[in-house]
Amino acid sequence: MSAAATRLLRDPVSALGLAIVLFAVFVAAFAPQLAPYPEDAYESHLLQRLRPPSAEFPFGTDNLGRDILSRVILGTRSALAVALSVVVAAMAIGIPVGLFAGWRDNWVSDVLMRVTDVFLAVPQLILALALGQLMRPGIETAMVALALTYWPFFARTVFAETRRLRSALFVDALAGIGARPSRILLLHVLPNALPAVLVRATIGMGFTILTAAILGFLGVGAAPPSPDWGLAVAEARQHLPEAWWFPTFPGLAILLLVLGFNLLGDGLRDAADPRLRRSRR
C-alpha cells in the first residue's frame, strides 16, 4: 500500500487530482465557516441581485442577490455527499451481483448478467431521467436514480475480476483444503478485486457529480433554494450574456471536481493495478 501511494504521489497529474479532491473535501467539511455569507443558502437579497464580481462579492451575486461564492462553497458539501451516497449504494448492489455471477456457471448467473447488460445498454443519463420522472423531483430522487443506474458498472467489473481469479492457483488450493466458497469470495477474491473496484468508484464519483449536476440543470435533481451547482447554471440561462459570472463559477466548480476525480482515478489505476504496471514495462 505504501509503495502504491508513493507511485501515486510521484505522478504530478495524479498528485494534482488528489490535491483537488482533498481541497474539495476540506471545503465541504468546513463549508459554513468558509462561506462569507452562509445564510445565502436559503435567503434572498433582491436589492443586490446580479452584481458583478467585486471585493464584497468575489464571484458576484445571483438573480436573488445571493453571494455566488458562498453558494459554490456550500454546494461542495452537497455534491460530495450525493456522489459518495450514490457510489456506496451502487457498490452495495453491484459487488454481490458480480461476485455471485462470476463464481457460478448456472442460469441465475446468466440472468443476472443479462439484466446487467440491459442496464448498461441504456445511457445512464436517459435512464436516470426516466426514473426521476417517475418519482417526485428532488435530490433524493436523483440519488436513487443514479444508484439504480450505476450499479451495473460495478457488477461488470467485479464479474470480470471474479472470473479471472476463480481459476487462480491460490483459489484451487483453498478449495482443496475445504474452504467454503463464501470464505474464498469474501476473504480472498474480493480483496484481489478491490483495486479495480476502487478505480471504478473514484471515477464514478466524478461521473456522478457531473450527472447529478445535469439532472439538477434539467429540473429532476435538487430543487430551489438548494445551493446546487447544476441548478445554479440552469437558473442563470435567462440572464446571459449580461450576468456571465452567474453560471461561470458553478460550472468551473463542476469542471474542477470532476477533473480531480478522473485524474485521481487514473493515478490509482496505474499505482494499484499490477497487471497494468507489468503491461507498461
Side-chain angles (χ1 to χ4, degrees):
M1 181 63 71
S2 59
T6 301
R7 284 188 292 269
L8 178 67
L9 294 176
R10 284 180 177 175
D11 182 3
V13 176
S14 304
L16 174 62
L18 179 61
I20 294 174
V21 172
L22 291 178
F23 177 72
V25 171
F26 172 79
V27 171
F30 299 98
Q33 291 77 28
L34 295 175
Y37 306 97
E39 71 280 358
D40 278 1
Y42 301 101
E43 294 183 5
S44 302
H45 310 278
L46 296 179
L47 295 180
Q48 57 190 32
R49 63 191 302 270
L50 296 178
R51 290 189 180 180
S54 62
E56 184 180 5
F57 303 107
F59 286 5
T61 62
D62 63 10
N63 57 325
L64 295 178
R66 299 169 297 193
D67 178 43
I68 294 178
L69 174 59
S70 298
R71 290 179 62 79
V72 168
I73 292 174
L74 295 168
T76 306
R77 175 177 291 186
S78 174
L80 288 178
V82 169
L84 183 61
S85 301
V86 167
V87 169
V88 170
M91 291 172 62
I93 300 172
I95 289 178
V97 170
L99 284 174
F100 183 85
W103 184 256
R104 298 292 185 184
D105 282 317
N106 53 32
W107 67 270
V108 178
S109 175
D110 292 338
V111 169
L112 288 175
M113 295 318 297
R114 297 297 77 76
V115 172
T116 301
D117 291 339
V118 169
F119 274 88
L120 288 173
V122 181
Q124 186 185 15
L125 179 60
I126 301 301
L127 190 56
L129 280 172
L131 292 173
Q133 291 296 331
L134 294 176
M135 298 179 284
R136 182 174 60 87
I139 193 63
E140 295 83 5
T141 296
M143 292 168 62
V144 171
L146 290 173
L148 291 178
T149 56
Y150 200 66
W151 69 264
F153 294 93
F154 287 104
R156 177 57 69 179
T157 299
V158 175
F159 172 82
E161 292 295 308
T162 304
R163 281 295 169 98
R164 178 182 65 86
L165 293 167
R166 72 176 185 175
S167 58
L169 290 177
F170 76 90
V171 172
D172 293 336
L174 289 167
I177 63 175
R180 292 175 298 177
S182 59
R183 180 181 179 86
I184 296 175
L185 282 173
L186 295 178
L187 298 183
H188 301 280
V189 174
L190 182 57
N192 280 279
L194 281 181
V197 173
L198 181 60
V199 172
R200 168 58 64 183
T202 305
I203 296 177
M205 290 281 289
F207 189 75
T208 299
I209 290 171
L210 179 61
T211 309
I214 295 174
L215 292 177
F217 179 84
L218 297 176
V220 181
S226 174
D228 181 77
W229 296 339
L231 181 62
V233 175
E235 292 174 340
R237 287 178 296 176
Q238 57 184 326
H239 302 288
L240 291 175
E242 292 80 9
W244 58 267
W245 59 89
F246 192 174
T248 297
F249 294 108
L252 286 175
I254 298 171
L255 172 64
L256 287 175
L257 193 50
V258 172
L259 178 64
F261 275 112
N262 284 342
L263 294 178
L264 179 58
D266 289 342
L268 287 173
R269 180 189 59 200
D270 295 347
D273 193 336
R275 291 174 299 149
L276 182 61
R277 292 200 304 271
R278 285 196 297 268
S279 67
R280 291 192 173 186
R281 288 178 180 174

